[in-house]
């Protein structure tokens, strides 16, 4: 029996792109899922007793069964990047047993990576000559949530060699239905930073990743509970446990999609803690939640947001070292419009658009890369 | 939406034992799986379109559907401990979307924990006043396997506070169908060591956990490939990357079940590297692989094993500080017989039997606890 260690086989895989090849995430040397030359994906599963199986991967694809009970289906061509998928039978969605799975879609879900060009993938591929930071799984007690929780913490390669040096901290959040593992397993945040730091293109920094789902006792999950936990439990714990520079000039927060709202809320609601903020493929929510975000266009709501933080652009621009808004090109113009609307209101911010990518991890790996290069400088 | 962070909610859960309660590993506040007062487990899944669903949890239990399309089944009472399970429909086994899953059964599998008495569980529950070690996810390049791989590494709480102190290392292996995450997510090795070290009952040590599946280029997975990788790649990498005491007196290897064979093979085949060894619920394989292990009873095979390592018991007993054989009581007498057969052949070794437990993680958490107390002393 052959098996690989999660998320590491893909490191040489981009070299295979543009030829038909097994998905990077397959286990046990499985040939399927297979990425085809046109970026379509072929899936296969042996299930002689099954009556019908459908693939749910950017659309629904009924599988067909051969005489050996092996079901197969091929999707339409997909855009490069990381795509969650499921198999469905009898109305049940489940993970494909042929692949490693990832926490997404609010459960462990299958995924394929449609590889991009090797040169483009270079920034998130590990290299033997690049010193490696550490990714730690760290338990902590949350008084707010009255539970033990887990965070992932990245410390740069030099962290343990400089026992007296202190570091700035980026708090980095996943998207809806994901968890604190997403930025490592799907996003390769550790490799991106290792590579940038080795080239001198990013400041050595600590990255702290938490689950964005939080519940106060007797209540249900809420953004408020998350904020309370971050401010009252997570930040004090991190500042005590790690050698941080514990001031707002050296503290950043970023998040993707659903987590972008959390990042902006934390930064603008608690500016005494943060002076750098980025939302990847996500909006600053002012007023009613709506893809066209009417709050921005209502001067009263805009002026009232976060105790009037946008009322005085001069003060805001002095307070915040960077507001960085990013999106994938295939996601449309919403984030660009938000960026421009902020500028039109005197709020300095920068904008990055990831060429050709959609609302998925390729956009967010690139967004982190761009943001990290600007951080703490 | 409510969700908890993997493996940490269970920390307060043993207090609930003996009353009906949701499984420790449920996500989204799911009520099912539910552990009942008699240690049976009730499972539930909504699937109005499904024709038939079966639970595979220590036996096969067909589920029954109510008028709302919700299927349920209750198992027979289970022994306390950690139990993998699957749902089956149309001949397909899949993970239950209601729970967090674990890498086991050679894929991400569902699991329930039938809690033991709180006092018994105490040694693997984290405590606020116990300093916490770090669990790191570490990538490394294996020349033997020609691939990047991942190991988990535990460093004790004091590791970063003593930048000049060096530590002994325990190499710790999972069982068949599991991977390098098993000892943290299923086994709580980090918490067990934190608790022991805080009480002064174990030496501060580094623990290195690797996937036991390894493949040489052009070949298939094998124990040989694993040994080559451990000796040629893993140990040199660990001794370079971490502050280890890099000699055989300060290097141990242990493994569970399938990994016990790997531990014994590594120790006895490479005694220049190891002087402490333990197999949890696993046998020393001499001669034909067989539950009754005839190699032991054949003096010729016994004497020839590992270049005659057992031929001279005096030398062996001087070389090895500890050979530690463990089992769960419900597993039968095989390991005890092996322990006695070794003694009868003059090979010193110690034996531990975990009361009432089966071939599962409760036996192995306890085995690690017992072994760690003896290590490096």
């Amino acid at each position: 029996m052959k098996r690989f260690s999660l998320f590491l086989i893909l490191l040489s895989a981009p070299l295979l792109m543009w030829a038909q090849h097994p998905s990077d995430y397959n286990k046990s040397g499985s040939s399927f899922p297979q990425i085809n030359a046109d970026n379509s994906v072929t899936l296969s599963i042996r299930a002689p007793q099954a009556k019908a199986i459908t693939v749910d991967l950017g659309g629904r694809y009924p599988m067909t069964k051969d005489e050996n009970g092996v079901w197969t289906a091929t999707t339409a061509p997909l855009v490069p990047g990381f795509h969650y998928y499921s198999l469905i039978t009898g109305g049940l969605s489940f993970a494909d047993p042929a692949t490693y799975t990832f926490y997404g879609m609010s459960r462990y879900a299958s995924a394929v990576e449609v590889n991009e060009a090797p040169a483009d993938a270079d920034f998130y591929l590990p290299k033997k000559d690049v010193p490696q930071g550490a990714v730690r799984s760290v338990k902590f007690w949350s008084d707010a949530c009255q539970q033990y929780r887990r965070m992932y913490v990245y410390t740069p390669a030099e962290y343990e060699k400089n026992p007296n040096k202190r570091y700035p901290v980026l708090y980095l959040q996943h998207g809806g239905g994901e968890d604190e593992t997403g930025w490592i397993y799907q996003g390769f945040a550790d490799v991106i930073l290792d590579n940038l730091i080795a080239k001198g293109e990013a400041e050595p920094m600590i990255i702290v990743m938490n689950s964005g789902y939080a519940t106060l006792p007797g209540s249900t999950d809420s953004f408020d509970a998350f904020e309370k936990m971050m401010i009252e439990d997570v930040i004090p714990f991190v500042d005590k446990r790690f050698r941080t520079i514990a001031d707002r000039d050296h503290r950043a927060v970023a998040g993707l999609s659903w987590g972008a709202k959390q990042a902006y809320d934390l930064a603008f609601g608690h500016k005494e803690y943060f002076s750098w903020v980025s939302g990847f493929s996500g909006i600053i929510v002012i007023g009613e939640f709506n893809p066209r975000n009417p709050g921005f266009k209502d001067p009263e709501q805009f002026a009232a947001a976060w105790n009037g933080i946008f009322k005085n652009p001069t003060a805001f621009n002095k307070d915040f070292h960077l507001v960085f808004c990013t999106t994938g090109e295939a996601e449309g113009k919403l984030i660009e419009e938000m960026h421009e609307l902020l500028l039109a209101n005197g709020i300095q911010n920068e904008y990055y658009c990831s060429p050709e990518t959609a609302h998925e991890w390729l956009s967010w790996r690139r967004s982190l890369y761009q943001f990290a290069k600007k951080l703490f400088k």
Side-chain angles (χ1 to χ4, degrees), chain A residues 31-71:
Chain A
S31 305
F32 297 92
Q34 174 181 281
I35 316 297
N36 302 312
D38 66 351
N39 283 353
S40 66
V41 177
T42 300
L43 298 105
S44 177
I45 185 165
R46 188 167 184 282
Q49 300 169 61
K51 295 282 178 292
I53 308 177
T54 297
V55 172
D56 182 5
L57 172 47
R60 301 266 171 132
Y61 301 92
M63 304 184 93
T64 55
K65 183 163 78 163
D66 72 10
E67 65 275 16
N68 299 315
V70 175
W71 298 75

Side-chain angles (χ1 to χ4, degrees), chain A residues 13 34 48 50 59 138 161 185 191 197 203 215 222 224 231 234 243-244 248 254 269 292 306 344 346 349 356:
Chain A
Q34 174 181 281
V138 180
K161 292 184 178 148
Y185 295 161
V191 187
I197 293 167
E203 293 295 309
T215 309
S222 72
D224 285 351
I231 297 297
V234 170
R243 298 194 313 277
T244 65
R248 68 183 298 280
R292 287 290 144 199
W306 291 291
N349 73 101
E356 295 177 17

